[in-house]
Amino acid sequence: MAKIRMVMGYALSGVKTGRSGAFNDPRLNSRSPLLAWPELEEADETFSAPSLLDYMQWLPSRGIEGLAEARRIEDAQRWHPHTYELIHTVVHEPEAGWADTLVIVPPEELGRWIRRANLMDTAIASAKGTELDVEILHLERSPEVAERFMDALTGAEVPDTFDLKLLLSEGCSDPHSEEIAHDLGYENANEAWARIVPRVPTSVRHLAEFAGLFTGPDVWKELRPVVYTYWA
């Protein structure tokens, strides 16, 4: 019997795959050890996918931010113990889920943002009539969920102000939206609404760099927060 899986993370949408399910997307490095580890293990019995420990040992090379992330991972393992490894930070389910969606879970959230065969999740999904359905809940422009925001084109963080939350909550219909947009450095409210998105955590960017997930330096800017539900 299929069991429910729920993952919260940052999704790359519109992912292209071949008939075999292999990645065929110019944004993705199909030879990344976090994407190709099953094939690499099959081709070379001595191959070992990078571990969470390998990643934590690499993080100090990223300076103060890397050291802080390593500390967050250690603290998370203490307060939310889990048995997940680094390969579980990348979720792509071409059969059980949607082949065009790849979700990245921040390493420090492995113990909280992945749930498998949870009885409550199963009961809620069944009551809603979504059993065996694949569902993606987009969390964009929600100040309650995304506490920090960025510019989708530049990746620069947008200052967290009351006016920003007002713009995101009320949209272009707010009578002060044009003034708020100008104060934030945009031409108009429509441009601000289109370009202000939830900030991609530094930890996700570090993970992508460590594993060579992307083929270009700007792909991470396309990631958006989601809750991904599927059955497997």
Side-chain angles (χ1 to χ4, degrees), residues 12-25 27-28 91-103 134 136 228:
L12 183 68
S13 300
V15 172
K16 298 177 181 178
T17 57
R19 291 184 178 180
S20 64
F23 291 108
N24 186 26
D25 193 298
R27 299 169 297 176
L28 293 173
V91 178
H92 181 248
E93 293 289 341
E95 296 181 3
W98 286 352
D100 67 350
T101 301
L102 181 144
V103 180
V134 178
I136 294 185
Y228 186 20

Side-chain angles (χ1 to χ4, degrees), residues 169-182:
S169 300
E170 302 297 329
C172 300
S173 61
D174 186 271
H176 302 291
S177 61
E178 293 296 326
E179 180 182 350
I180 294 172
H182 292 155

Side-chain angles (χ1 to χ4, degrees), residues 3-6 115-124:
K3 295 181 179 180
I4 195 167
R5 309 274 181 100
M6 294 187 73
R115 298 208 306 226
R116 297 181 176 181
N118 181 281
L119 179 60
M120 185 178 294
D121 294 337
T122 302
I124 292 173

Side-chain angles (χ1 to χ4, degrees), residues 139-152 157-178 180-181 184 186 188-199 224-225:
L139 305 176
E140 291 193 41
R141 299 186 179 87
S142 173
E144 293 78 20
V145 176
E147 297 180 350
R148 300 169 71 177
F149 291 84
M150 71 176 194
D151 184 289
E157 186 163 355
V158 178
D160 182 18
T161 64
F162 174 80
D163 284 344
L164 172 64
K165 289 182 169 59
L166 182 64
L167 178 64
L168 296 172
S169 300
E170 302 297 329
C172 300
S173 61
D174 186 271
H176 302 291
S177 61
E178 293 296 326
I180 294 172
L184 292 172
Y186 296 98
N188 51 58
N190 286 328
E191 182 187 37
W193 180 255
R195 288 177 54 177
I196 298 175
V197 297
R199 176 181 175 272
R224 300 291 180 266

